[in-house]
Amino acid sequence: MEKRQELYAGKAKSVFATDDPDRVVLQFRDDTSAFDGERMESLARKGMVNNRFNAFIMGKLEAAGIPTHFEQCLSDTESLVKTLTMIPVECVVRNIAAGGLVKRLGVEEGRELSPPTFELFLKNDALHDPMINESLAETFGWATPQQLAEMKALTFKVNAVLKQLFADGGLPLVDYKLEFGLFKGRIVLGDEFSPDGCRLWDAKTRDKMDKDRFRQGLGGVIEAYEEVGRRIGVDFT
Ligand code: 5GP
């Protein structure tokens, strides 16, 4: 496999072509963004930590029968993944009320959500990722009803696997965002799963162990990510 030109640079990751059109290289950078890119900072080790973290989680999900784009780690900060045509819809599951839900509905932060909620957002920084629904996604052609149904089922399947994994590490999985894409006509989990795109609280202290530390200026961001990784068995060496 030969790494070729950069195809796309996102806020925290870059995508490179390879000599195989069905494979691209994801490079996890140290860049950290919040508020749709309004705040950007470079945090040492973040690229490595998120690359290793994501590889570990994608492996667990594949083992549970969830199709992912992940193929293999290539270096500390690079992974080989399948080339997906991304669906511009973010799927969010919430087990505990926090963040956007608390703001939007005025419910108490920390309230257990039973059953867990499922929300869709349009991936669009300029519009600040507005909340959408199945009807809008179908009308505007962002995803078909069949694709949405499959994305929802897979997002909840991920919840079953990861809620348990993090709970075993003393970390309630509060909420998370997933992105999917198409590979040879099949829905596949894409993007990444790391503390950048989920909320994890320490079960005892309720300390935030995720990107909210960056969003809220709490410090110790990467130290918290590493602690989460250590508790669930990620190898950072
Ligand atoms: P909220 O809607 O409360 O802001 O986010 C819900 C969950 O999805 C959180 O775990 C948050 O980190 C994640 N999330 C939602 N949108 C994005 C996004 O655009 N980027 C990242 N990294 N995470 C997101």
Side-chain angles (χ1 to χ4, degrees):
M1 196 282 303
E2 188 187 298
K3 185 178 169 187
R4 292 194 175 159
Q5 80 279 12
E6 186 175 74
L7 297 174
Y8 171 79
K11 295 191 289 291
K13 297 189 292 297
S14 300
V15 181
F16 294 84
T18 71
D19 51 353
D20 177 353
D22 286 335
R23 299 288 181 275
V24 288
V25 173
L26 267 192
Q27 187 202 343
F28 290 73
R29 308 193 314 267
D30 287 344
D31 298 328
T32 313
S33 78
F35 313 116
D36 302 307
E38 271 171 40
R39 221 177 106 213
M40 294 284 279
E41 225 173 277
S42 178
L43 298 178
R45 302 196 305 288
K46 175 164 176 283
M48 179 277 289
V49 168
N50 277 5
N51 184 41
R52 299 279 179 222
F53 197 106
N54 177 63
F56 179 85
I57 296 288
M58 291 284 170
K60 292 283 180 195
L61 297 178
E62 282 281 355
I66 295 157
T68 81
H69 67 157
F70 182 79
E71 297 266 309
Q72 64 176 111
C73 267
L74 297 174
S75 73
D76 268 1
T77 58
E78 295 166 306
S79 286
L80 187 67
V81 300
K82 297 182 183 75
T83 310
L84 303 189
T85 303
M86 293 306 291
I87 294 171
V89 171
E90 300 181 343
C91 298
V92 170
V93 159
R94 301 180 196 267
N95 296 304
I96 298 173
L101 186 79
V102 167
K103 248 195 210 153
R104 204 174 336 117
L105 300 182
V107 296
E108 193 192 341
E109 185 180 68
R111 177 172 158 176
E112 292 270 345
L113 301 170
S114 181
T117 61
F118 179 75
E119 295 158 39
L120 299 173
F121 297 87
L122 179 66
K123 196 173 162 65
N124 185 319
D125 277 347
L127 297 177
H128 304 292
D129 294 352
M131 192 177 195
I132 57 167
N133 60 29
E134 280 90 343
S135 166
L136 291 166
E138 182 183 2
T139 294
F140 293 109
W142 297 317
T144 67
Q146 294 76 13
Q147 289 168 346
L148 291 165
E150 200 172 335
M151 286 157 64
K152 183 175 180 180
L154 287 171
T155 302
F156 276 115
K157 202 166 171 185
V158 167
N159 201 36
V161 178
L162 297 188
K163 232 172 106 168
Q164 188 62 55
L165 176 77
F166 288 116
D168 291 344
L171 296 157
L173 177 58
V174 174
D175 56 30
Y176 57 91
K177 179 262 302 177
L178 301 180
E179 294 180 30
F180 294 88
L182 292 169
F183 184 72
K184 300 182 191 291
R186 198 164 143 242
I187 296 269
V188 169
L189 178 62
D191 192 48
E192 68 178 279
F193 193 102
S194 74
D196 267 4
C198 68
R199 290 194 173 92
L200 296 157
W201 295 345
D202 182 275
K204 285 203 191 97
T205 64
R206 300 308 252 185
D207 280 350
K208 297 178 197 311
M209 305 291 283
D210 53 64
K211 197 170 167 182
D212 273 350
R213 298 200 70 84
F214 178 73
R215 295 187 187 102
Q216 299 174 10
L218 299 174
V221 180
I222 301 309
E223 290 77 4
Y225 288 21
E226 287 170 323
E227 171 65 16
V228 170
R230 269 193 294 274
R231 289 201 207 175
I232 61 170
V234 181
D235 184 5
F236 291 121
T237 55

